[in-house]
PDB file of all heavy atoms in Angstrom:
ATOM      1  N   LEU A 508     135.911  92.296  64.423  1.00  0.00           N
ATOM      2  CA  LEU A 508     137.161  92.378  65.164  1.00  0.00           C
ATOM      3  C   LEU A 508     138.274  91.789  64.265  1.00  0.00           C
ATOM      4  O   LEU A 508     137.993  91.086  63.263  1.00  0.00           O
ATOM      5  CB  LEU A 508     137.151  91.684  66.503  1.00  0.00           C
ATOM      6  CG  LEU A 508     137.127  90.201  66.507  1.00  0.00           C
ATOM      7  CD1 LEU A 508     137.208  89.675  68.011  1.00  0.00           C
ATOM      8  CD2 LEU A 508     135.910  89.456  65.856  1.00  0.00           C
ATOM      9  N   PRO A 509     139.552  92.039  64.644  1.00  0.00           N
ATOM     10  CA  PRO A 509     140.625  91.445  63.776  1.00  0.00           C
ATOM     11  C   PRO A 509     140.711  89.917  64.033  1.00  0.00           C
ATOM     12  O   PRO A 509     140.535  89.461  65.120  1.00  0.00           O
ATOM     13  CB  PRO A 509     141.945  92.110  64.369  1.00  0.00           C
ATOM     14  CG  PRO A 509     141.447  93.305  65.036  1.00  0.00           C
ATOM     15  CD  PRO A 509     140.061  92.967  65.582  1.00  0.00           C
ATOM     16  N   LEU A 510     140.966  89.252  62.913  1.00  0.00           N
ATOM     17  CA  LEU A 510     141.178  87.776  63.058  1.00  0.00           C
ATOM     18  C   LEU A 510     142.571  87.499  62.642  1.00  0.00           C
ATOM     19  O   LEU A 510     142.977  87.708  61.505  1.00  0.00           O
ATOM     20  CB  LEU A 510     140.222  87.041  62.007  1.00  0.00           C
ATOM     21  CG  LEU A 510     140.323  85.520  61.992  1.00  0.00           C
ATOM     22  CD1 LEU A 510     139.864  84.921  63.270  1.00  0.00           C
ATOM     23  CD2 LEU A 510     139.501  84.976  60.869  1.00  0.00           C
ATOM     24  N   GLY A 511     143.387  87.093  63.620  1.00  0.00           N
ATOM     25  CA  GLY A 511     144.876  86.851  63.347  1.00  0.00           C
ATOM     26  C   GLY A 511     145.123  85.458  63.035  1.00  0.00           C
ATOM     27  O   GLY A 511     144.245  84.526  63.159  1.00  0.00           O
ATOM     28  N   GLN A 512     146.424  85.170  62.699  1.00  0.00           N
ATOM     29  CA  GLN A 512     146.862  83.810  62.417  1.00  0.00           C
ATOM     30  C   GLN A 512     147.822  83.368  63.458  1.00  0.00           C
ATOM     31  O   GLN A 512     148.525  84.153  64.152  1.00  0.00           O
ATOM     32  CB  GLN A 512     147.428  83.712  61.036  1.00  0.00           C
ATOM     33  CG  GLN A 512     146.403  83.966  59.898  1.00  0.00           C
ATOM     34  CD  GLN A 512     147.093  83.739  58.573  1.00  0.00           C
ATOM     35  OE1 GLN A 512     147.904  84.597  58.171  1.00  0.00           O
ATOM     36  NE2 GLN A 512     146.783  82.731  57.783  1.00  0.00           N
ATOM     37  N   ALA A 513     147.964  81.958  63.604  1.00  0.00           N
ATOM     38  CA  ALA A 513     148.872  81.490  64.560  1.00  0.00           C
ATOM     39  C   ALA A 513     150.325  81.810  64.185  1.00  0.00           C
ATOM     40  O   ALA A 513     150.693  82.258  63.029  1.00  0.00           O
ATOM     41  CB  ALA A 513     148.805  79.989  64.612  1.00  0.00           C
ATOM     42  N   ASP A 514     151.224  81.724  65.058  1.00  0.00           N
ATOM     43  CA  ASP A 514     152.645  81.979  64.846  1.00  0.00           C
ATOM     44  C   ASP A 514     153.194  81.119  63.801  1.00  0.00           C
ATOM     45  O   ASP A 514     152.725  80.002  63.605  1.00  0.00           O
ATOM     46  CB  ASP A 514     153.424  81.818  66.204  1.00  0.00           C
ATOM     47  CG  ASP A 514     153.071  82.788  67.312  1.00  0.00           C
ATOM     48  OD1 ASP A 514     152.648  83.844  66.962  1.00  0.00           O
ATOM     49  OD2 ASP A 514     153.030  82.381  68.417  1.00  0.00           O
ATOM     50  N   ALA A 515     154.172  81.540  63.066  1.00  0.00           N
ATOM     51  CA  ALA A 515     154.777  80.798  61.986  1.00  0.00           C
ATOM     52  C   ALA A 515     155.257  79.456  62.537  1.00  0.00           C
ATOM     53  O   ALA A 515     155.871  79.329  63.564  1.00  0.00           O
ATOM     54  CB  ALA A 515     156.002  81.515  61.459  1.00  0.00           C
ATOM     55  N   GLY A 516     154.887  78.409  61.741  1.00  0.00           N
ATOM     56  CA  GLY A 516     155.249  77.040  62.206  1.00  0.00           C
ATOM     57  C   GLY A 516     154.258  76.384  63.078  1.00  0.00           C
ATOM     58  O   GLY A 516     154.426  75.195  63.384  1.00  0.00           O
ATOM     59  N   GLN A 517     153.276  77.108  63.530  1.00  0.00           N
ATOM     60  CA  GLN A 517     152.345  76.483  64.579  1.00  0.00           C
ATOM     61  C   GLN A 517     150.944  76.411  63.945  1.00  0.00           C
ATOM     62  O   GLN A 517     149.969  76.097  64.647  1.00  0.00           O
ATOM     63  CB  GLN A 517     152.304  77.301  65.860  1.00  0.00           C
ATOM     64  CG  GLN A 517     153.640  77.321  66.573  1.00  0.00           C
ATOM     65  CD  GLN A 517     153.544  77.992  67.902  1.00  0.00           C
ATOM     66  OE1 GLN A 517     152.481  78.393  68.304  1.00  0.00           O
ATOM     67  NE2 GLN A 517     154.689  78.147  68.525  1.00  0.00           N
ATOM     68  N   GLU A 518     150.827  76.783  62.620  1.00  0.00           N
ATOM     69  CA  GLU A 518     149.471  76.768  62.076  1.00  0.00           C
ATOM     70  C   GLU A 518     148.949  75.318  61.858  1.00  0.00           C
ATOM     71  O   GLU A 518     149.748  74.458  61.403  1.00  0.00           O
ATOM     72  CB  GLU A 518     149.460  77.501  60.693  1.00  0.00           C
ATOM     73  CG  GLU A 518     150.091  78.894  60.776  1.00  0.00           C
ATOM     74  CD  GLU A 518     151.552  78.933  60.388  1.00  0.00           C
ATOM     75  OE1 GLU A 518     152.151  77.839  60.598  1.00  0.00           O
ATOM     76  OE2 GLU A 518     152.062  79.962  59.955  1.00  0.00           O
ATOM     77  N   ASP A 519     147.709  75.086  62.108  1.00  0.00           N
ATOM     78  CA  ASP A 519     147.072  73.887  61.666  1.00  0.00           C
ATOM     79  C   ASP A 519     145.594  74.151  61.607  1.00  0.00           C
ATOM     80  O   ASP A 519     145.127  75.280  62.003  1.00  0.00           O
ATOM     81  CB  ASP A 519     147.384  72.666  62.600  1.00  0.00           C
ATOM     82  CG  ASP A 519     146.956  72.919  64.059  1.00  0.00           C
ATOM     83  OD1 ASP A 519     145.893  73.479  64.292  1.00  0.00           O
ATOM     84  OD2 ASP A 519     147.699  72.618  64.983  1.00  0.00           O
ATOM     85  N   GLU A 520     144.828  73.223  61.146  1.00  0.00           N
ATOM     86  CA  GLU A 520     143.388  73.447  60.929  1.00  0.00           C
ATOM     87  C   GLU A 520     142.649  73.743  62.238  1.00  0.00           C
ATOM     88  O   GLU A 520     141.679  74.487  62.234  1.00  0.00           O
ATOM     89  CB  GLU A 520     142.731  72.233  60.258  1.00  0.00           C
ATOM     90  CG  GLU A 520     141.293  72.413  59.874  1.00  0.00           C
ATOM     91  CD  GLU A 520     140.819  71.269  59.120  1.00  0.00           C
ATOM     92  OE1 GLU A 520     141.573  70.466  58.616  1.00  0.00           O
ATOM     93  OE2 GLU A 520     139.497  71.116  59.031  1.00  0.00           O
ATOM     94  N   LYS A 521     143.167  73.205  63.330  1.00  0.00           N
ATOM     95  CA  LYS A 521     142.510  73.377  64.625  1.00  0.00           C
ATOM     96  C   LYS A 521     142.734  74.767  65.204  1.00  0.00           C
ATOM     97  O   LYS A 521     141.760  75.330  65.778  1.00  0.00           O
ATOM     98  CB  LYS A 521     142.941  72.284  65.556  1.00  0.00           C
ATOM     99  CG  LYS A 521     142.277  72.336  66.898  1.00  0.00           C
ATOM    100  CD  LYS A 521     142.734  71.226  67.811  1.00  0.00           C
ATOM    101  CE  LYS A 521     142.106  71.296  69.205  1.00  0.00           C
ATOM    102  NZ  LYS A 521     142.591  70.226  70.141  1.00  0.00           N
ATOM    103  N   ASN A 522     143.972  75.286  65.186  1.00  0.00           N
ATOM    104  CA  ASN A 522     144.257  76.522  65.910  1.00  0.00           C
ATOM    105  C   ASN A 522     144.900  77.563  65.016  1.00  0.00           C
ATOM    106  O   ASN A 522     145.735  78.319  65.528  1.00  0.00           O
ATOM    107  CB  ASN A 522     145.044  76.266  67.203  1.00  0.00           C
ATOM    108  CG  ASN A 522     146.338  75.535  66.860  1.00  0.00           C
ATOM    109  OD1 ASN A 522     146.844  75.603  65.835  1.00  0.00           O
ATOM    110  ND2 ASN A 522     146.856  74.843  67.903  1.00  0.00           N
ATOM    111  N   GLY A 523     144.640  77.513  63.753  1.00  0.00           N
ATOM    112  CA  GLY A 523     145.324  78.498  62.822  1.00  0.00           C
ATOM    113  C   GLY A 523     144.842  79.863  62.948  1.00  0.00           C
ATOM    114  O   GLY A 523     145.474  80.762  62.412  1.00  0.00           O
ATOM    115  N   TYR A 524     143.681  80.136  63.570  1.00  0.00           N
ATOM    116  CA  TYR A 524     143.152  81.543  63.651  1.00  0.00           C
ATOM    117  C   TYR A 524     142.818  81.955  65.066  1.00  0.00           C
ATOM    118  O   TYR A 524     142.528  81.000  65.885  1.00  0.00           O
ATOM    119  CB  TYR A 524     141.841  81.533  62.775  1.00  0.00           C
ATOM    120  CG  TYR A 524     142.089  81.252  61.355  1.00  0.00           C
ATOM    121  CD1 TYR A 524     141.860  80.063  60.800  1.00  0.00           C
ATOM    122  CD2 TYR A 524     142.606  82.282  60.441  1.00  0.00           C
ATOM    123  CE1 TYR A 524     142.141  79.727  59.469  1.00  0.00           C
ATOM    124  CE2 TYR A 524     142.909  82.039  59.125  1.00  0.00           C
ATOM    125  CZ  TYR A 524     142.672  80.726  58.648  1.00  0.00           C
ATOM    126  OH  TYR A 524     142.935  80.478  57.357  1.00  0.00           O
ATOM    127  N   VAL A 525     142.892  83.205  65.306  1.00  0.00           N
ATOM    128  CA  VAL A 525     142.704  83.630  66.696  1.00  0.00           C
ATOM    129  C   VAL A 525     141.930  85.016  66.638  1.00  0.00           C
ATOM    130  O   VAL A 525     142.177  85.795  65.747  1.00  0.00           O
ATOM    131  CB  VAL A 525     144.068  83.831  67.385  1.00  0.00           C
ATOM    132  CG1 VAL A 525     144.948  84.767  66.553  1.00  0.00           C
ATOM    133  CG2 VAL A 525     143.875  84.312  68.786  1.00  0.00           C
ATOM    134  N   LEU A 526     141.017  85.162  67.654  1.00  0.00           N
ATOM    135  CA  LEU A 526     140.272  86.413  67.810  1.00  0.00           C
ATOM    136  C   LEU A 526     141.174  87.401  68.562  1.00  0.00           C
ATOM    137  O   LEU A 526     141.502  87.135  69.710  1.00  0.00           O
ATOM    138  CB  LEU A 526     138.934  86.223  68.453  1.00  0.00           C
ATOM    139  CG  LEU A 526     137.835  85.683  67.728  1.00  0.00           C
ATOM    140  CD1 LEU A 526     138.130  84.198  67.202  1.00  0.00           C
ATOM    141  CD2 LEU A 526     136.511  85.700  68.450  1.00  0.00           C
ATOM    142  N   GLU A 527     141.576  88.497  67.893  1.00  0.00           N
ATOM    143  CA  GLU A 527     142.444  89.497  68.557  1.00  0.00           C
ATOM    144  C   GLU A 527     141.589  90.491  69.323  1.00  0.00           C
ATOM    145  O   GLU A 527     141.133  91.491  68.844  1.00  0.00           O
ATOM    146  CB  GLU A 527     143.236  90.293  67.527  1.00  0.00           C
ATOM    147  CG  GLU A 527     144.283  89.332  66.789  1.00  0.00           C
ATOM    148  CD  GLU A 527     145.162  90.088  65.831  1.00  0.00           C
ATOM    149  OE1 GLU A 527     144.991  91.287  65.697  1.00  0.00           O
ATOM    150  OE2 GLU A 527     146.011  89.459  65.186  1.00  0.00           O
ATOM    151  N   LEU A 528     141.304  90.087  70.576  1.00  0.00           N
ATOM    152  CA  LEU A 528     140.401  90.904  71.402  1.00  0.00           C
ATOM    153  C   LEU A 528     141.234  92.081  72.040  1.00  0.00           C
ATOM    154  O   LEU A 528     142.464  92.189  71.825  1.00  0.00           O
ATOM    155  CB  LEU A 528     139.811  90.065  72.496  1.00  0.00           C
ATOM    156  CG  LEU A 528     138.795  89.014  71.920  1.00  0.00           C
ATOM    157  CD1 LEU A 528     138.586  87.890  72.859  1.00  0.00           C
ATOM    158  CD2 LEU A 528     137.472  89.664  71.586  1.00  0.00           C
ATOM    159  N   TRP A 529     140.565  92.991  72.746  1.00  0.00           N
ATOM    160  CA  TRP A 529     141.190  94.159  73.254  1.00  0.00           C
ATOM    161  C   TRP A 529     142.296  93.903  74.163  1.00  0.00           C
ATOM    162  O   TRP A 529     142.289  93.061  75.075  1.00  0.00           O
ATOM    163  CB  TRP A 529     140.102  95.029  73.927  1.00  0.00           C
ATOM    164  CG  TRP A 529     140.698  96.360  74.305  1.00  0.00           C
ATOM    165  CD1 TRP A 529     141.305  96.665  75.511  1.00  0.00           C
ATOM    166  CD2 TRP A 529     140.693  97.530  73.556  1.00  0.00           C
ATOM    167  NE1 TRP A 529     141.715  98.007  75.507  1.00  0.00           N
ATOM    168  CE2 TRP A 529     141.412  98.600  74.331  1.00  0.00           C
ATOM    169  CE3 TRP A 529     140.252  97.942  72.270  1.00  0.00           C
ATOM    170  CZ2 TRP A 529     141.537  99.864  73.875  1.00  0.00           C
ATOM    171  CZ3 TRP A 529     140.373  99.178  71.817  1.00  0.00           C
ATOM    172  CH2 TRP A 529     141.087 100.204  72.596  1.00  0.00           C
ATOM    173  N   ALA A 530     143.422  94.745  74.058  1.00  0.00           N
ATOM    174  CA  ALA A 530     144.555  94.708  74.954  1.00  0.00           C
ATOM    175  C   ALA A 530     145.188  96.055  74.834  1.00  0.00           C
ATOM    176  O   ALA A 530     145.080  96.752  73.772  1.00  0.00           O
ATOM    177  CB  ALA A 530     145.532  93.548  74.596  1.00  0.00           C
ATOM    178  N   GLY A 531     145.862  96.477  75.881  1.00  0.00           N
ATOM    179  CA  GLY A 531     146.548  97.760  75.844  1.00  0.00           C
ATOM    180  C   GLY A 531     147.576  97.939  74.750  1.00  0.00           C
ATOM    181  O   GLY A 531     147.788  98.966  74.244  1.00  0.00           O
ATOM    182  N   LYS A 532     148.299  96.806  74.478  1.00  0.00           N
ATOM    183  CA  LYS A 532     149.259  96.773  73.435  1.00  0.00           C
ATOM    184  C   LYS A 532     149.327  95.433  72.833  1.00  0.00           C
ATOM    185  O   LYS A 532     148.868  94.419  73.393  1.00  0.00           O
ATOM    186  CB  LYS A 532     150.693  97.081  73.994  1.00  0.00           C
ATOM    187  CG  LYS A 532     151.251  96.080  75.004  1.00  0.00           C
ATOM    188  CD  LYS A 532     152.638  96.451  75.480  1.00  0.00           C
ATOM    189  CE  LYS A 532     153.207  95.429  76.499  1.00  0.00           C
ATOM    190  NZ  LYS A 532     154.503  95.798  76.950  1.00  0.00           N
ATOM    191  N   LYS A 533     149.845  95.301  71.609  1.00  0.00           N
ATOM    192  CA  LYS A 533     149.754  94.060  70.823  1.00  0.00           C
ATOM    193  C   LYS A 533     150.707  93.105  71.483  1.00  0.00           C
ATOM    194  O   LYS A 533     151.873  93.336  71.657  1.00  0.00           O
ATOM    195  CB  LYS A 533     150.189  94.307  69.351  1.00  0.00           C
ATOM    196  CG  LYS A 533     149.971  93.097  68.412  1.00  0.00           C
ATOM    197  CD  LYS A 533     150.224  93.458  67.043  1.00  0.00           C
ATOM    198  CE  LYS A 533     149.956  92.187  66.135  1.00  0.00           C
ATOM    199  NZ  LYS A 533     150.141  92.503  64.753  1.00  0.00           N
ATOM    200  N   PRO A 534     150.206  91.822  71.781  1.00  0.00           N
ATOM    201  CA  PRO A 534     151.107  90.852  72.337  1.00  0.00           C
ATOM    202  C   PRO A 534     152.219  90.529  71.385  1.00  0.00           C
ATOM    203  O   PRO A 534     152.100  90.650  70.192  1.00  0.00           O
ATOM    204  CB  PRO A 534     150.170  89.664  72.508  1.00  0.00           C
ATOM    205  CG  PRO A 534     148.783  90.255  72.685  1.00  0.00           C
ATOM    206  CD  PRO A 534     148.819  91.509  71.730  1.00  0.00           C
ATOM    207  N   GLU A 535     153.314  90.087  71.872  1.00  0.00           N
ATOM    208  CA  GLU A 535     154.475  89.727  71.027  1.00  0.00           C
ATOM    209  C   GLU A 535     154.285  88.490  70.175  1.00  0.00           C
ATOM    210  O   GLU A 535     154.759  88.486  69.028  1.00  0.00           O
ATOM    211  CB  GLU A 535     155.751  89.562  71.919  1.00  0.00           C
ATOM    212  CG  GLU A 535     156.214  90.831  72.675  1.00  0.00           C
ATOM    213  CD  GLU A 535     157.443  90.591  73.398  1.00  0.00           C
ATOM    214  OE1 GLU A 535     158.041  89.467  73.372  1.00  0.00           O
ATOM    215  OE2 GLU A 535     157.957  91.537  74.132  1.00  0.00           O
ATOM    216  N   THR A 536     153.557  87.572  70.667  1.00  0.00           N
ATOM    217  CA  THR A 536     153.288  86.334  69.932  1.00  0.00           C
ATOM    218  C   THR A 536     151.804  85.938  70.136  1.00  0.00           C
ATOM    219  O   THR A 536     151.231  86.238  71.120  1.00  0.00           O
ATOM    220  CB  THR A 536     154.170  85.141  70.345  1.00  0.00           C
ATOM    221  OG1 THR A 536     153.878  84.795  71.663  1.00  0.00           O
ATOM    222  CG2 THR A 536     155.673  85.539  70.239  1.00  0.00           C
TER     223      THR A 536
END
Side-chain angles (χ1 to χ4, degrees):
L508 76 175
L510 179 68
Q512 291 181 291
D514 298 325
Q517 299 185 7
E518 308 93 335
D519 59 44
E520 186 175 342
K521 181 179 179 180
N522 56 24
Y524 298 98
V525 57
L526 279 68
E527 296 184 357
L528 294 159
W529 184 272
K532 62 179 182 179
K533 186 174 183 178
E535 293 184 3
T536 65

